[in-house]
Every structure is written in structure tokens, then in C-alpha cells.
Amino acid sequence: MSAVATTATPAPPVAAALDRVAPKKVKRPMGVPFWCAVTWVGGVILSTTFVTLNHWKKEVDFLAGAEVASGNWTKTFSWTHPLGVDGAGNDTLWELTTGAKNSLIIAFTTVLLGFVIGGALGMAAGYFRGRVDAVLSFFTTALLSLPPLLFIILLISVLSASAGSAEFGIEQGLQSSVMKVSLALAVLATPSLFRVVRASTIQYAQREFVTAARTMGAKPARVLVREILPNVAKPLLAFGLVSAGGVMVIEGSLSFLGIGVGAGTGTSAWGKMIQEGASSQDLRVAPNIALIPALALFLTVVSLNFIGDKFRERLEVKQGNI
């Protein structure tokens, strides 16, 4: 019998074997809906910035307002009034951009103040734990247990009284400025931001780089600022965009009820536009008065939520790869 010759197959290289075992990191694209949302939010910000820098003044067209009152609201659309006018002759585009400016200022100011207050308290509670965590968690839980709408009305009334405003009442409307509403909403948003920052701080406080900084004798303030804050700020940014959308909804609801920005004044707000279009004008006679600001508010809030969710998913993928 003749011996059968066998040929040994060469072993695969180590790099090729590792490529077969280890999955490749695939960077998923954001997608068309994400960029549509970014385009919408960017367009709103740019339009409000353009109106603010050019000092676009409000102009009243009484003839066009008479057309709206007679039911011919489609005739008010022109190059001068691209989105028509309301029953008083106020340009809808001017009202829309001014309301967008107020809503964006309130939303981002509220979130920024919530970041500063809730973030500082949340980092302190998550890092030191013990009695500090117990006391701060108790107060934030107490704030969350209060009815949000009644709590905001109480805060705005206190701020209005401290500012020396005249007679106050829901019927007359609250003479609320943008800063007063922002402060009231910031107090309401602080407990939620506190919980998010606290949970992230507890997670990162157990990591090796924090333990190494402690071992090297770093003080708690340096550990919080240099080691924990950069890692906590990333998920907080995604949550902040979603929170900004929620703040815009609350601010619109307050303006709709007549206790927010523009109550009793000539200041425009999206909620105020919806309220005026739904009450003073029949929607069948002039639907553009209420539907246009409602659509703008809807698209802005949905866009902010979508952008925040995409950022959160991307950050979760990166943390999972690490």
C-alpha cells in the first residue's frame, strides 16, 4: 500500500483571525429625518436672529384684517403677508417669528439654568452620597410631587409680586416677562435634570480614572470638574434638547391659558396666537390664525425630540463600544 500524501493547510494570520472574530464598528448614518429636523430648527433660529438684528417692526394692515373678518382669509396671502394676517390686521409671519424668538429664549434659558442648578446639585449628591444625597433627593422629590401647573402659577405670582407688579389675577392675566417665565420653568425642570446628573455621576464615580485621581490626592472639586463633568455633560446634552421641547410645550400652554409671555401685553407667543385664533375667530372663517402657529410649535418640538433621541442613541453606542 502506498502512503497517501497529505498537505497541511497554512494557518491563517493572526490579524485575519481577529477580524473574523471581532465585529467591525459600523458608524450608522443619522438619516434623512434627522437632517430635516436639524434644518427646521436651524431655520427657526436663523429667522428669529434675522428679525432681531434687523429690528423688523410690526405693521398693521386694516384692509387685510377686514378681509379676514368677512371670511376671505385666502385673499390676505401676498408678498407682503406670506402667511396672511389675523382679524386685527397683524402680520402672521411677524407674530410667528416673534413668538418663536420668545419660545426659544425661554426654552434654552430654562434648560441652561436647570443645567447649572440641577447639574451642580446632582453631581454633589452622586459623588458624596450619604446625607448630602438624602437631603437633596428629598427636596427634589418633594418638588416633583407638586402639581406642575399650579406650582408654576404660584412661582410666577411670587415673581410678579416681588417685581412690584400691580394687581394680579388669572382673569386679568399675569404680566409675565420672558425672564420670569424662564425662572419659574427652571425651578420646575431642576428636579428632573438633578436625577439625570445624579445617576450619571454615580456611574462614573466608580470608574478607574476617578479612583486613580482620588489615589493621587485630587480634591473633590477637581475630580468633579476635571474627571466627572466632561463625561456627564455628553448625555446631559441629549436630554437637554428633549427638555427644551418639553419646555416649549409648557410655555405654549401657559400662553394659551393667558398666564405666560404676552399676557395683557402686545408681546407675541405661539400659545397666545393659538388661543386668539381659536377664540376670537372661527376656525372655518380663518384657520391660518391658529393652525400655522400650532403647526410651527408641533414641528419644532418634534424636531428637538428627534435630534435629542439621535444624540442619545449615538452616545449609548459609543459607551457600549468602550
Side-chain angles (χ1 to χ4, degrees):
M1 298 179 62
S2 59
V4 179
T6 59
T7 59
T9 58
V14 177
L18 291 177
D19 288 340
R20 293 191 185 99
V21 175
K24 295 182 178 180
K25 298 178 181 179
V26 180
K27 190 175 181 180
R28 298 175 58 186
M30 289 295 190
V32 177
F34 171 81
W35 294 112
C36 291
V38 172
T39 303
W40 173 262
V41 175
V44 172
I45 295 175
L46 288 177
S47 62
T48 56
T49 305
F50 176 80
V51 170
T52 303
L53 294 178
N54 287 272
H55 304 285
W56 187 19
K57 296 182 179 180
K58 179 179 180 180
E59 296 181 359
V60 180
D61 192 341
F62 295 102
L63 296 178
E67 292 288 348
V68 174
S70 61
N72 299 323
W73 62 277
T74 55
K75 295 183 179 180
T76 62
F77 290 86
S78 62
W79 290 106
T80 308
H81 308 293
L83 299 180
V85 299
D86 59 11
N90 299 316
D91 184 58
T92 304
L93 182 59
W94 185 92
E95 298 278 349
L96 195 68
T97 52
T98 306
K101 180 183 69 174
N102 294 330
S103 297
L104 290 175
I105 291 175
I106 290 174
F108 290 109
T109 302
T110 298
V111 173
L112 182 60
L113 291 175
F115 280 173
V116 174
I117 301 174
L121 296 179
M123 290 178 62
Y127 183 80
F128 294 106
R129 306 297 299 275
R131 294 182 179 179
V132 176
D133 186 15
V135 173
L136 294 177
S137 298
F138 172 78
F139 282 109
T140 54
T141 304
L143 286 177
L144 286 174
S145 63
L146 296 174
L149 183 59
L150 296 178
F151 184 60
I152 292 175
I153 293 176
L154 177 62
L155 284 177
I156 294 178
S157 64
V158 171
L159 292 173
S160 299
S162 62
S165 18
E167 205 168 12
F168 173 79
I170 296 181
E171 294 79 6
Q172 294 82 14
L174 302 178
Q175 305 297 324
S176 306
S177 65
V178 172
M179 186 54 63
K180 292 176 185 178
V181 176
S182 300
L183 290 174
L185 293 177
V187 175
L188 186 66
T190 296
S192 300
L193 296 172
F194 166 84
R195 289 191 169 190
V196 173
V197 176
R198 175 184 175 274
S200 298
T201 303
I202 292 175
Q203 176 186 357
Y204 286 106
Q206 309 300 326
R207 295 289 183 90
E208 292 79 5
F209 58 90
V210 176
T211 304
R214 292 174 178 171
T215 305
M216 295 176 63
K219 296 182 179 180
R222 186 184 185 280
V223 175
L224 288 171
V225 175
R226 298 289 299 274
E227 306 296 339
I228 296 180
L229 180 59
N231 296 281
V232 171
K234 295 177 181 178
L236 196 61
L237 175 62
F239 184 76
L241 292 173
V242 178
S243 300
V247 170
M248 294 185 71
V249 173
I250 297 176
E251 185 273 330
S253 302
L254 293 174
S255 299
F256 183 85
L257 295 175
I259 55 178
V261 176
T265 64
T267 307
S268 179
W270 281 349
K272 180 184 176 183
M273 293 177 65
I274 299 172
Q275 188 271 337
E276 291 178 350
S279 61
S280 62
Q281 295 289 338
D282 190 349
L283 291 178
R284 294 173 297 179
V285 176
N288 62 311
I289 300 176
L291 294 183
I292 290 178
L295 181 62
L297 178 61
F298 170 76
L299 291 176
T300 305
V301 173
V302 169
S303 298
L304 288 173
N305 290 338
F306 195 82
I307 296 172
D309 288 339
K310 280 295 183 180
F311 280 159
R312 178 181 53 82
E313 292 175 3
R314 181 59 60 89
L315 290 173
E316 287 179 355
V317 170
K318 289 183 179 180
Q319 290 177 359
N321 292 333
I322 293 175

